[in-house]
Amino acid sequence: MGLLENIAVVGQAALDAFDQVNEAQELEKIRVEYLGAKGRLTELSRAVGSLPPAERPQAGQAANQALKAAKQAYQTAQTKLGATKTQGVALDVTLPGRRHQLGREHLISRTMTEICGIFERLGFTVVEGPEVETDYYNFEALNFPADHPSRDMQESLFVGDKLLLRTHTSPVQIRTMEKQKPPVWIVAPGKTYRRDDDITHSPMFHQVEGLVVDKGISMADLKGVLSAFATAFFSPDTAIRLRPSFFPFTEPSAEVDIACVLCGGKGCRLCKGSGWLELLGSGMVDPALYNFVGYDPREVSGFAFGLGVDRAAMLKYGLANIRHLYESDLRFLEQF
Ligand code: FA5
C-alpha cells in the first residue's frame, strides 16, 4: 500500500473511531493513537518528507487534510461527550430533592387577621375604606372643624388640595353610616399614615377601627366588648381600664389601657412604673356625627374605637422597636 493510500485508510479509520466513541477515557486513547506525537496520522504526515520530491505535494496535501478532518472529528466527539455528561447530572434521579422554603404571613397581617377574627366572633362585620382620603371624611365629618387645633394632634401627609393619606381609620365610620342604616357593628382594618417616626411610631402603621350604632348602646357595652377583646387577644386575665381623653368625634372619650403584659400591673420598666399600657382610643359616638349621615340621635346611640395594630403586636410579642416590623429582616420575622 502506497503512502497516499495509507493516509486515506488510516484517516477514515480515525474518523470512524471518533464518531463511535462514547466514553471520555476511550476518546483520549483514540486521540493518542491517531493524533498523538507518535500517533498513526502524525507518523504518516511525517513520512511525506521521505518521498521523492515529485510525489510530496500530493501526499502532503492528503496528509494535511486527513489530520484536519481527524482533529475536527475529535473536537466534535469531545463536545458530544461533554453535553451528555451535563445531561446525565441534570437527570440524576438519585440526588436528594431541593426543599422549597415556605413563606409565612407577616406578623402585622397575622395580628390584623387575629384581631378581626375576634371581633367577627363577637358579631362584627369587616369593611374597608380608601387610604387616600378627602379632608371631609378624615376630618370635617368627624367633627374636626377647619383650622381647629385638634387637627394638630394628627401629623397629616397631604397629597393634594383637601386630599391626604388618611391619618386614622375613623373616616370608615362616616363612609359606613352614609351607606347603611342602623344597626351597625363593623370593624375596619387598614393602613394609616402620619408624619411620625420614633421607636414606637412609624410614618405608615395600621389601625382597626370599630363602630357600633344600635338601640340603647351605652359605655358599658364599650367596656364589655373591649374587655372581651383584650382577654381573647392577650390572655384570659388581662384587665383593662378606661382613662378620660378627648377626640372630636366621641363624647365622652376614653383611652383604653391594658394591665402591663410584663409585670401584670405591679409597675416595671415597660409600663414606666404605672402598671398600665396604652392600647387604643375610644368613646361614645358624638351625636354631632349623626347630623352628617342622617341618623336620629334620639333613636340610636353608639361607641367607636381605634386600635393600633402595630402597638398591639408590640405589646403581645414584646417588641422594643416598631421599626423591626418594617425592615424585612428574616432573622427577626422568622421568629414568629
Ligand atoms: C385615633 O387615631 C382615633 N381615630 C382613635 C379613635 C377611634 C378614638 C374611634 C375614638 C373613637 P390615636 O391618634 O390615639 O387615635 O391613635 C390610635 C392608636 O394608633 C394609638 O393608640 C397607637 O396605638 C396607634 N398609633 C398612632 N400613631 C401611630 C404611629 N405613628 N405609629 C404606630 N402606631 C400609631
Side-chain angles (χ1 to χ4, degrees):
M1 208 190 295
L3 184 61
L4 210 55
E5 214 177 323
N6 224 340
I7 290 171
V9 172
V10 175
Q12 189 55 50
L15 295 185
D16 291 344
F18 284 131
D19 188 43
Q20 283 157 23
V21 69
N22 50 21
E23 220 234 287
Q25 259 181 346
E26 192 60 26
L27 174 65
E28 180 55 14
K29 264 197 217 160
I30 298 169
R31 185 193 69 78
V32 173
E33 184 186 342
Y34 290 96
L35 299 169
K38 291 188 180 156
R40 292 169 67 190
L41 274 177
T42 319
E43 296 285 11
L44 286 174
S45 69
R46 215 173 272 143
V48 172
S50 55
L51 286 177
E55 292 173 28
R56 278 183 213 159
Q58 202 192 354
Q61 205 180 20
N64 281 343
Q65 266 172 11
L67 272 174
K68 201 173 153 193
K71 280 179 187 161
Q72 226 162 37
Y74 166 66
Q75 273 168 7
T76 309
Q78 228 181 2
T79 315
K80 190 181 82 184
L81 288 184
T84 316
K85 201 172 148 198
T86 325
Q87 226 174 41
V89 171
L91 287 174
D92 187 351
V93 292
T94 64
L95 283 175
R98 284 199 197 109
R99 193 180 288 275
H100 285 280
Q101 252 200 325
L102 282 184
R104 70 186 83 181
E105 235 184 345
H106 190 278
L107 194 55
I108 288 291
S109 313
R110 186 139 63 87
T111 307
M112 196 101 108
T113 309
E114 191 183 348
I115 294 172
C116 289
I118 293 170
F119 285 110
E120 280 178 300
R121 288 195 290 282
L122 290 170
F124 287 73
T125 305
V126 177
V127 299
E128 282 183 299
E131 287 173 31
V132 177
E133 193 49 282
T134 60
D135 183 273
Y136 178 78
Y137 287 110
N138 197 81
F139 291 125
E140 210 176 316
L142 285 166
N143 212 23
F144 287 80
D147 302 324
H148 193 278
S150 61
R151 289 191 180 205
D152 293 345
M153 285 162 58
Q154 306 202 348
E155 301 279 354
S156 318
L157 293 158
F158 275 84
V159 292
D161 186 31
K162 300 218 173 252
L163 209 58
L164 71 158
L165 300 180
R166 67 178 176 189
T167 57
H168 52 172
T169 40
S170 300
V172 188
Q173 290 187 31
I174 304 295
R175 290 183 175 274
T176 307
M177 288 192 282
E178 276 180 350
K179 277 191 236 138
Q180 187 183 328
K181 291 280 157 229
V184 171
W185 291 72
I186 57 113
V187 280
K191 291 189 169 63
T192 42
Y193 304 83
R194 291 186 198 176
R195 213 155 41 78
D196 273 347
D197 196 8
D198 59 41
I199 60 163
T200 54
H201 294 84
S202 160
M204 190 278 291
F205 59 106
H206 301 78
Q207 288 190 340
V208 171
E209 191 77 10
L211 173 70
V212 171
V213 183
D214 209 335
K215 282 192 188 335
I217 296 292
S218 74
M219 201 107 182
D221 299 302
L222 163 68
K223 187 166 184 188
V225 164
L226 292 177
S227 179
F229 165 75
T231 51
F233 183 75
F234 293 105
S235 70
D237 52 0
T238 304
I240 65 165
R241 77 169 179 187
L242 271 60
R243 196 161 34 83
S245 184
F246 170 77
F247 295 101
F249 41 96
T250 46
E251 182 58 37
S253 304
E255 296 286 348
V256 175
D257 299 337
I258 55 164
C260 179
V261 285
L262 201 61
C263 65
K266 291 191 198 82
C268 67
R269 219 163 45 106
L270 181 66
C271 58
K272 298 192 184 90
S274 74
W276 298 95
L277 296 166
E278 185 187 318
L279 180 64
L280 57 89
S282 69
M284 300 305 290
V285 178
D286 191 317
L289 263 64
Y290 298 140
N291 294 330
F292 285 94
V293 296
Y295 283 10
D296 184 349
R298 288 165 306 182
E299 289 278 309
V300 289
S301 56
F303 66 82
F305 58 88
L307 165 78
V309 176
D310 313 60
R311 169 73 54 89
M314 287 175 78
L315 293 177
K316 181 162 176 165
Y317 299 101
L319 314 181
N321 191 333
I322 195 169
R323 294 186 187 111
H324 290 322
L325 292 168
Y326 296 108
E327 284 168 346
S328 300
D329 185 339
L330 290 182
R331 288 170 304 175
F332 168 77
L333 294 173
E334 282 175 349
Q335 295 175 63
F336 304 100

